[in-house]
Structures are given as structure tokens and as C-alpha cells.
Amino acid sequence: MTDKKEHIVNSAVELFAEKGFEGTSIRELAAKAEVNVAMVNYYFGSKEKLFEAMVAQKAAYSRGMIDEIVKDKTLSDIEKIDRIIDGFVNRLFTNRKFHRIIHQELMLSQRENLQQAIVDILYPNSLAVKTLIDSAIKKGSFKKVDSALVIATVIGTINHVLLSKKMCNKLFGKEDSHVPYEDPKFIKRVGDHLKEIMHAYLLKN
Amino acid sequence: MTDKKEHIVNSAVELFAEKGFEGTSIRELAAKAEVNVAMVNYYFGSKEKLFEAMVAQKAAYSRGMIDEIVKDKTLSDIEKIDRIIDGFVNRLFTNRKFHRIIHQELMLSQRENLQQAIVDILYPNSLAVKTLIDSAIKKGSFKKVDSALVIATVIGTINHVLLSKKMCNKLFGKEDSHVPYEDPKFIKRVGDHLKEIMHAYLLKN
Amino acid sequence: MTDKKEHIVNSAVELFAEKGFEGTSIRELAAKAEVNVAMVNYYFGSKEKLFEAMVAQKAAYSRGMIDEIVKDKTLSDIEKIDRIIDGFVNRLFTNRKFHRIIHQELMLSQRENLQQAIVDILYPNSLAVKTLIDSAIKKGSFKKVDSALVIATVIGTINHVLLSKKMCNKLFGKEDSHVPYEDPKFIKRVGDHLKEIMHAYLLKN
Amino acid sequence: MTDKKEHIVNSAVELFAEKGFEGTSIRELAAKAEVNVAMVNYYFGSKEKLFEAMVAQKAAYSRGMIDEIVKDKTLSDIEKIDRIIDGFVNRLFTNRKFHRIIHQELMLSQRENLQQAIVDILYPNSLAVKTLIDSAIKKGSFKKVDSALVIATVIGTINHVLLSKKMCNKLFGKEDSHVPYEDPKFIKRVGDHLKEIMHAYLLKN
DNA sequence: TATGAATGAGCCTTCATTCAT
DNA sequence: CATGAATGAAGGCTCATTCAT
């Protein structure tokens, strides 16, 4: 991919995350990427196709991680859960702007086919986690829990924390200028919380 | 509030939830509410002020519930948590369209002052839960946990489930036409999951 | 129809005749009609629908004339032909700008449904003339001629003269500034020419 | 002229005839001619100059034919008229796409200098026919007719028939898929009609 | 109070053209 | 000689809003 195309995509992530799809104008986007307004259509064909191209490119980060962890025979089931939690926390915090876009898009009923594409990308992750837990339950290493909802708790917790800087700072007693999402201590704290919850919830005492 | 004003606000909730703020046009809104296009500006002054008015009106539902539960001296701490979980599940499922809007709004950096208003509305809930847990920890009835993140897990889990009908149906093995958010069994299942998690996490074994 | 709508339609006739459909911009059109650019879409929905509305309105002039002449029992067949020629000459010269648009539109393969509409409007005229001639042939008052092509000769001759002022002036030895289409002598000349031709062609010697 | 240049010109004739000058984009044209978009400007300088080049090249076909017929001493005056009619019918039917463009161009007031060029090309034909008829009138072999309008009738009739396939098929009772312009019987019919008209009109009985 | 008409700004997109190689 | 990339202008259209009644 050429430099300019990539530059446009990166600017798009920023703006779409801040203002949403309809709230972002091509003029604004071109200004941020320092290219001509016509370039966006030249490269991507339309605003919507740029959006799709951005999703296709940036979504790559989410693939594969979970599978590798699940397959790893040196890890116990609960260790796998811990690794998966760390994996999600790191990826969602790192790619939080893109993740915000995905989040918005899933909520809206516009652009149905894009929604389908997103579901197709995210679903395998959820399924892999569910399968892992189900098999651990069968083996007797985990308690009988609602395996399909575990992933909702993990990702939901992270999402909720990523939702609003303002809310986050207020809850954790930081001043407004603090950026919790780049604070390693805070990131660790979220991971630890999830791991403790899951240990308590999944492991037989 | 006159009938027409309320009618407009209700149409606004529907459309803003489906299409977002920028994605919803006043013409569309007026058509759905079956009023004149000029009516919206006449009543509310502007599209943005209609949005704020809608938030102010619909947000009322979320106030008070938690406080009553916390104050109730006939309940144990864990019973209070159970009641709070049920309260959140019921309210978020019932008002899911409005909740979606709030969710979107918190994510975007547009309309800063509205964001502040939303935080001011939601924060007391979070604080009350945190305070409840902290006092239970002090009393020794709960384990030492990260009290500020408990609320994130509760609301985050619910939100994640409410995010996308498509994803939800896929994860829970239902066909595409199923509407999980109106299925009492599904709602109960989410509440049960959260209560089990919280019991395992908060209670000393 | 409101004044403004009619004003826009009239400006549209002028501009479309001079520059064609694609060659005319809505901004230009709005400027000529002294209305806001948004008015065109407000009233007509789109540039194309304005075009169709204009055709529908202006096409009315062409209906009925021929039928009346054909039905008139006080006229001989050749007198009817003469009247029809005069009718066509007058109408095409008077409405030459609109006629030019119709002419252009019939030539292009864009806007197929509009083309169909135009054919539906014009065809009855052609058919009525053909029927008149066929019946006169049967009666023995006209020679056996190719009745379907007579209308082509009448309208084609007028069209060709209306095609280009420049060409016309050159052929008839007038200076470039002359406007033949508003010169009654010239109009009469064209009518006389067609009548002489048709007399010679249709009447048995 | 190189192959590519000619290829572009030929594609231009097709597209300009179907969609008009403004309705045809350089991208479309380049796609049809299977050359780079920059090629058109590279070879011809601009879209307008391509148009002029196309006219200059394709207009050649119309020159000379009439002169040869007029000069031919073995033909009578009316035979010359017959030959001229056949010549026009054949040429206009064969080059009908290019002719359509010329026709459109004469009608519009854009591109004045191109219009002048077209008039300069077409006028000699008209003049030669007029001169032929005037001399025949002087000799007494033709009736005293409006010689300048004869050419309008001949070309106008052919044009009118070439105007719209749809209209033509309707008038001549053919189904919509029929292509009258490539039907030799139909072509002959138009020529015969014109010759009969001209015989009746020009010859003393 | 209520509304159809009207407005100017902005939208996304496409255009003919030019540039750098 | 040829071309993919790039550009500024203009295109048709929709927007939230205001006006006149």
C-alpha cells in the first residue's frame, strides 16, 4: 500500500473514532491527511469504501492471537484464560481508536453489510473462548458456567473502561487531563481485575 | 410537555439510536413524528438542543434506583449487589435504544458539554456501587477487590450483549430474526451470569 | 403552478435548448431564474425531474390541433393537409426552443423513459396524418404515396430550417444578425414550399 | 494518423452520438478506446479539440460527391437529383452516428467556432443543389420552385427518419428491437419516397 | 401556535486537465 | 512516447435553519 493511501487510512481512523462516520467530512479527512479532497475518491472510490478498506486493513490485528493461545499445550486452562485476557486488554487498549469505530458501527443499523463483515471478523474469537471454557468444564477443571457470556464480560469490561476518558478519570480519582489509556499501571489494573474475577468464577475452590 | 413535543422526543430516540446524531436528518425525524420540519426548531431551537432535551428527559429513569437499594437496611451486602444487577439489567434492556445513544455519545468527542452532562448523570450510580463495596470490604463481608472496576464489569457485560443483535444471535445459536432483547429467558440468563460472577468474586469462600 | 415554478421551467427551456441537458448546470439555471439553487430540488426533486416536468408542461401545446383539422367536415383532404402544414409551421416556429430540446432528447440514448414519453406524445400526430392520407388514397382523391413518410417530410423540412440560424441565413442570403425564425415572410415561405410540394405529390394531376 | 488516435476518434463518434458532448466523459472515452485517460489530452490537447479533430476527420466523407454528379454531362437534371438523393440517403444512413453529432452541434449555441466550421463544410453541398435547380429552372426543365428549400426537404426528411429508432419503428409498425437503419428495404423506401416527391414537385407534368 | 416556502452552507463525487517520471 | 498520480473546480444534491404569514 502506498504511503498516501496508508496516511489517509490512518487519518480516517482518528476522525471516524472522534466524530463517527457521518460526522466526518471528506474535506476534513483530506485536510488531516494533507491530500487533495479528490484523492480519497481516487484511491478508495467513495467515503464508504474508504471506511470498509480501513476496517479490512485494521481488523487484521485481531486475528490469530486467541487460536495460538488455545493451541498451546504447555499452558493449563486457567493460564490460557489469563493469556487471553492480557491479549484482549493489550489489543483493545492499543487499538482503542479503531475499536471505538467498530463499536459504533455495531450499534448502528446503517451499512448492514459492513456490520456483517465485522461480526464475521469478531465472532471466531468469541467462539474460540467459548469452546475453550466448554472443554475445560467437561474435563472438570472449570465450574459449570455460562461459557457464552464469559467473553461478553471480558470484552465488555474493557470496552466500558475505554468508553469515556472523562468517566474513567472521575471514577478512578484522576484529574481531567490524565490519559488513563496510556498509563501502564492502569492497563495492568484492568487486566488483574479481570483475571481475579475469572479465577474466582471459573476455578473450583 | 405537550403531546407533540413528547412525540418528537420519542421519534428522536428511535432514529438517533439507529442512525446516530449526524446520520439522522430533521426531515426524517419530522416525517417519523408526523410533524412539520419547522416544528423541531420551533420547539427545541435546534437539532442539538433537541438532542439535549431528549437526554435530559429520558435520563430520569436511571436516577434513584441504586440509592434506594443501598439504603435498604433489610438487605445484606450481597443481596444489595444482586438487586443492583437486576436493576441494571432491567433498565438497560428496557431502555436499550436510549442507552445506545448515550453509549455512542460518550465515545465521540463532539458535543463536549453534553458529554459532561451524561457523566454527571451516570457517575453517581457508579460511585454508589463503589462505596457499597468498599464499606462491605471494610466490614469484612467482601474480599478485597478493585471496587471501582466492579461497576465496569456489570454495565460492560450488559452493554456488550446489547451491542449487536447479529453478534448476540450468532453467539447464542439463534437465527437472525430472533430479538434476544425482548426474550425474558435471555434477560434472566444475563442477570444470573452476573450474579454468579459477583458471588464468586466478592464473597469469601 | 406557482410563479416561481413556472419561472424555473421557462428558464430551463431557454438553457436546455441552448446548452443541452448535461451542458446546463443547476447553478446556472437558478441564476437565470433568480432563485436559490436549492429551489430546483425543492420544487422538482432533481434536475432530471425538472426536465421531465418541463416536457410534460410544454408538450401540452402539441395536442389536439391535428385531430380538430382532420375531423372538420367542411374541408377537403388537401385543404386539411394545407391546414396541418400551417399548424406545424406555426407551432414549431413559435415553440422552437422547446422543440429543439425534444429533438436533442430523441437523438440521445440517455434518459430512455423520457424518450418513451416523448414518442408517446408525438406519435398520435404522425398517426393522424398517416390515417388521413390513407383514407384519401382509398377515396381516390390522393395518389398512392408512402403515407408514413409524408409526416417525416413535413416535420423534417421545418426542423432542418430551424436547425441552425447560421446555416439558414447563409442559404437564404441574409446577414448573420438576421433572425429568420421571427420573420413572418420567411415563415410563410416555408409553409408555401411545403404546400406546393404536397400538392404536387399528393394530388392527381 | 496513428492507430490509437484513430481508435480514440472512433470511440468518440460512438459516445458523442449517444450521450452528447457534455454527457461524455474523458474517462469513459478512454475506457472505450482502451487507452490511458491522459492520452486524449496528450494527443488532442483537450476534449474540445478532440471533438474538432473528429469533425474535421469524419466530415471528409461528405465532400465531393455532389460536385461529381452535377458535373456529369451524361445525366439529365432530374437524373442528377435522383443520384443526389441516393447519395444523401446512403451517406446519412451509413454515417448516421456522426451525422447525429453534427445535428446536435448545430442546434446548440455552445462552441460557436465549431458551428461555423460545420456550416462551412455543409453549405457547399446545399449551394450546389440550389444552383443545379436554379439552372434547370432557367433551362425550363424544372418548374419554378423554391430552390433553397429543396435541400431542406431532402436532408430534413432523412434526418427526421434517423432521429429516433423508437419513433421510426412505431410509425412503420415494427417491433422495438428492429434496427431500421440497417434494413436495406427501409433505406430504399426512404430514397424512393424522396425521388417521387421531387419528381412530382420539380418536373413539369 | 404553526407551517409551507425559502435559504446559504456544506455535503460527496466527478470532471477535464496537468504533473512527474 | 506514454502513463499513473494528483489537482482544483465544478457538479448535483441535502442539510439545518429561518422567514413570512
Side-chain angles (χ1 to χ4, degrees), chain D residues 36-82:
Chain D
N36 187 278
V37 275
M39 217 61 261
V40 171
N41 286 287
Y42 182 69
Y43 274 137
F44 300 93
S46 73
K47 189 184 171 186
E48 192 148 347
K49 280 184 192 153
L50 157 64
F51 195 95
E52 288 169 15
M54 182 207 67
V55 171
Q57 188 199 322
K58 291 283 168 186
Y61 81 93
S62 96
R63 272 191 283 269
M65 180 263 289
I66 307 239
D67 279 351
E68 278 183 29
I69 294 170
V70 169
K71 279 184 207 151
D72 191 332
K73 295 185 174 173
T74 69
L75 300 172
S76 71
D77 288 332
I78 195 66
E79 279 169 339
K80 288 179 183 175
I81 293 292
D82 285 353

Side-chain angles (χ1 to χ4, degrees), chain A residues 116 146 153 166 189 193, chain B residues 116 146 153 166 189 193:
Chain A
Q116 189 59 55
D146 195 332
T153 294
K166 242 188 197 98
R189 185 172 165 184
H193 165 75
Chain B
Q116 189 59 55
D146 195 331
T153 293
K166 244 192 195 92
R189 184 172 167 184
H193 165 76

Side-chain angles (χ1 to χ4, degrees), chain A residues 70-93:
Chain A
V70 169
K71 280 182 207 152
D72 191 332
K73 294 186 174 173
T74 70
L75 299 172
S76 71
D77 289 331
I78 194 66
E79 281 169 337
K80 287 180 184 175
I81 294 292
D82 285 353
R83 295 278 180 102
I84 286 170
I85 289 171
D86 281 335
F88 275 124
V89 169
N90 286 331
R91 297 198 177 205
L92 296 192
F93 270 82

Side-chain angles (χ1 to χ4, degrees), chain C residues 4 27 35-39 42-43:
Chain C
K4 272 205 178 149
R27 275 166 179 78
V35 300
N36 188 279
V37 277
M39 283 316 317
Y42 178 71
Y43 275 134

Side-chain angles (χ1 to χ4, degrees), chain C residues 18-19 100 103 106-109 112 116 120 122 146 153 156-157 163 166-167 170 189 193 200-201, chain D residues 18 100 103 106-107 109-110 112 116 120 122 146 153 156-157 163 166-167 170 189 193 200-201:
Chain C
E18 276 174 32
K19 298 154 170 274
R100 227 169 244 219
H103 213 138
L106 279 178
M107 273 194 282
L108 301 179
S109 345
E112 285 271 340
Q116 188 59 57
D120 291 342
L122 300 185
D146 194 332
T153 294
T157 300
L163 200 60
K166 240 186 200 106
M167 181 70 102
K170 204 150 183 182
R189 186 172 163 183
H193 166 75
Y201 181 54
Chain D
E18 275 174 31
R100 225 169 244 217
H103 212 139
L106 281 177
M107 271 193 284
S109 346
Q110 324 258 70
E112 285 272 338
Q116 189 60 57
D120 290 343
L122 299 184
D146 195 332
T153 294
T157 299
L163 201 59
K166 244 191 194 98
M167 181 70 103
K170 204 152 186 183
R189 184 171 166 184
H193 165 76
Y201 182 53

Side-chain angles (χ1 to χ4, degrees), chain D residues 127-175:
Chain D
L127 186 62
V129 174
K130 182 173 178 298
T131 309
L132 169 64
I133 294 170
D134 283 339
S135 98
I137 293 171
K138 229 173 204 169
K139 279 193 285 177
S141 55
F142 284 179
K143 282 186 283 189
K144 281 188 188 172
V145 300
D146 195 332
S147 60
L149 280 167
V150 169
I151 188 81
T153 294
V154 173
I155 299 186
T157 299
I158 304 171
N159 273 342
H160 193 261
V161 155
L162 287 173
L163 201 59
S164 159
K165 207 187 68 170
K166 244 191 194 98
M167 181 70 103
C168 218
N169 281 331
K170 204 152 186 183
L171 198 57
F172 294 100
K174 305 280 181 180
E175 72 273 26

